[in-house]
Amino acid sequence: MDVSPSPIVVTGDQKVTATFSFSTKGAGKAELQLKAPGDVSVGTPVDLTPASHGLWTRWTGKKTFDAKSEGRWSFLAIAHDGEGGEKSTSGTFGVEVKKAADTRIADFGAHPDLVAKGDRISVSGRLQVERGGWDGYGGQRVTITFREKGTDAYRHITTVDTSRSGWFSTKVTVEATGWWRAEFGGNADAKGSVSDTDRVDVRARSRDSRIVGFGAYPEPVDKGDRINFRGTLQAEGSHGWDGLSGERVAILFRADGSGHWERVTGDWTGRDGRFWAHATARTSGWWRAVFEGTRGVDGSSSHSDWVRVVEPTPPPKDKSRLIKFNAYPEPVKYGKYLRFRGALLVDGGGYEAKVALYFKPKGSTKWQYVKTTRSTGSGKLYTKVKAYKSGYWKFAFGGDEDTYGSQSGRDYVRVKR
């Protein structure tokens, strides 16, 4: 008697159909009876199908076993020769029932969560089997399914095989908003399982944008002067590139030697997408315009435009002269007032400005600041101080943004006790 498969192994809720076969010679009829474990009654007959091979006949029968069939079964095979004689053989075979292992799909995800129609996303997870702990279940086929928003049924999208450690990952194209999940159908040793679902939202594909005609001018520009910017923001339409109005365009700057872009100014685009802006020139570097995007339109950036900033050439200054300086009386008594006169001229005319009085004591090499006075509109100077030491006196004009400085002649005054 041949039993296939042998042993008969039933896993979980599965059913296994076994094939029983034996051969007879010269027999015109055969019987096969099977008896379940512990059954003392007459065996259950199995339908046999004969197949002749010359003098021999091969008899084949089938029976299905499930989890309740566990144990040692008995069989009895009888061959009838057609003349009232018969031959029989008996024996046993085993039916083994194994528990199907539990499985699960962990860490399932579909990402990114928001994409444009036609984009590809990644779906991944890990198939695990319970064998005294959750282990990765390698070499198994997992089905990726999808349920579109507004429908009830999941449909097959693709399949992917798990790695040795149970991980799987694949790329799929997304056409609609909905829920993704992974399904494992099970096998002879393990039960099937289904992952959690993960939703991916699909938006209409955004239009491209671009910034054309961007420029920063003048170049070069004096430090502290105004630098101007202009350009046009456009979005791709059904008939080409159209001006995009009512959008904010930022102007960014990166100084020479720096890797950092900083926002300086910006402008809102007009009806035709044009924008204008200006800023104060501080140092040489790169300028560019940036549009961050809006609903349905992707952001973009212009090319960079380098502008050299130079120190402005100072305007020519006028020369000044301190004339007619006089310190009096001379000599002067100790502690009495010493008076000073003079005139400040610029281009031959009187000039109103602050003028300092300096003193260098007799025997010293260092001039000492004493006080400040102011010339009149006609350039005349007058002041007084108390005298305590003999020495030299002078006026000094430090100059200003329009005029170079100058010094008067010096005048020696003796102080007597």
Side-chain angles (χ1 to χ4, degrees), residues 264-328:
V264 177
T265 185
D267 187 32
W268 293 90
T269 58
R271 184 168 55 184
D272 56 359
R274 297 180 183 272
F275 59 89
W276 293 267
H278 63 269
T280 300
R282 301 297 183 191
T283 186
S284 299
W286 298 90
W287 296 89
R288 71 176 183 181
V290 174
F291 169 54
E292 293 185 352
T294 188
R295 185 180 181 88
V297 182
D298 291 331
S300 58
S301 175
S302 72
H303 70 275
S304 299
D305 194 10
W306 186 79
V307 174
R308 181 166 61 98
V309 176
V310 297
E311 291 291 339
T313 303
K317 292 186 177 184
D318 295 325
K319 292 182 179 181
S320 66
R321 288 193 302 152
L322 281 166
I323 64 172
K324 298 181 180 180
F325 177 68
N326 186 31
Y328 63 94

Side-chain angles (χ1 to χ4, degrees), residues 67-207:
K68 298 178 181 178
S69 306
E70 184 178 14
R72 298 297 299 180
W73 285 65
S74 301
F75 69 85
L76 175 63
I78 304 173
H80 302 276
D81 59 8
E83 297 179 357
E86 63 181 34
K87 291 184 179 180
S88 66
T89 184
S90 62
T92 62
F93 62 92
V95 177
E96 180 182 350
V97 176
K98 295 174 61 177
K99 179 183 178 182
D102 291 327
T103 65
R104 68 180 184 184
I105 298 175
D107 300 320
F108 178 77
H111 46 84
D113 296 330
L114 178 62
V115 295
K117 183 177 180 180
D119 283 351
R120 290 176 67 79
I121 65 170
S122 174
V123 289
S124 59
R126 190 184 189 196
L127 177 63
Q128 295 178 313
V129 61
E130 205 286 318
R131 291 171 176 158
W134 290 102
D135 300 322
Y137 200 12
Q140 305 300 316
R141 180 146 295 186
V142 174
T143 301
I144 305 301
T145 60
F146 171 71
R147 178 171 70 85
E148 185 175 345
K149 182 180 178 181
T151 66
D152 297 325
Y154 279 88
R155 56 188 175 89
H156 173 279
I157 301 299
T158 188
T159 58
V160 59
D161 292 335
T162 62
S163 68
R164 182 180 300 178
S165 57
W167 289 101
F168 61 88
S169 178
T170 189
K171 297 281 189 180
V172 293
T173 300
V174 181
E175 299 293 342
T177 295
W179 291 265
W180 295 85
R181 75 181 185 187
E183 301 176 9
F184 172 57
N187 55 34
D189 299 317
K191 300 177 182 178
S193 54
V194 178
S195 73
D196 293 334
T197 60
D198 195 7
R199 173 169 167 158
V200 174
D201 289 299
V202 175
R203 55 176 170 78
R205 181 169 294 279
S206 296
R207 294 186 292 162

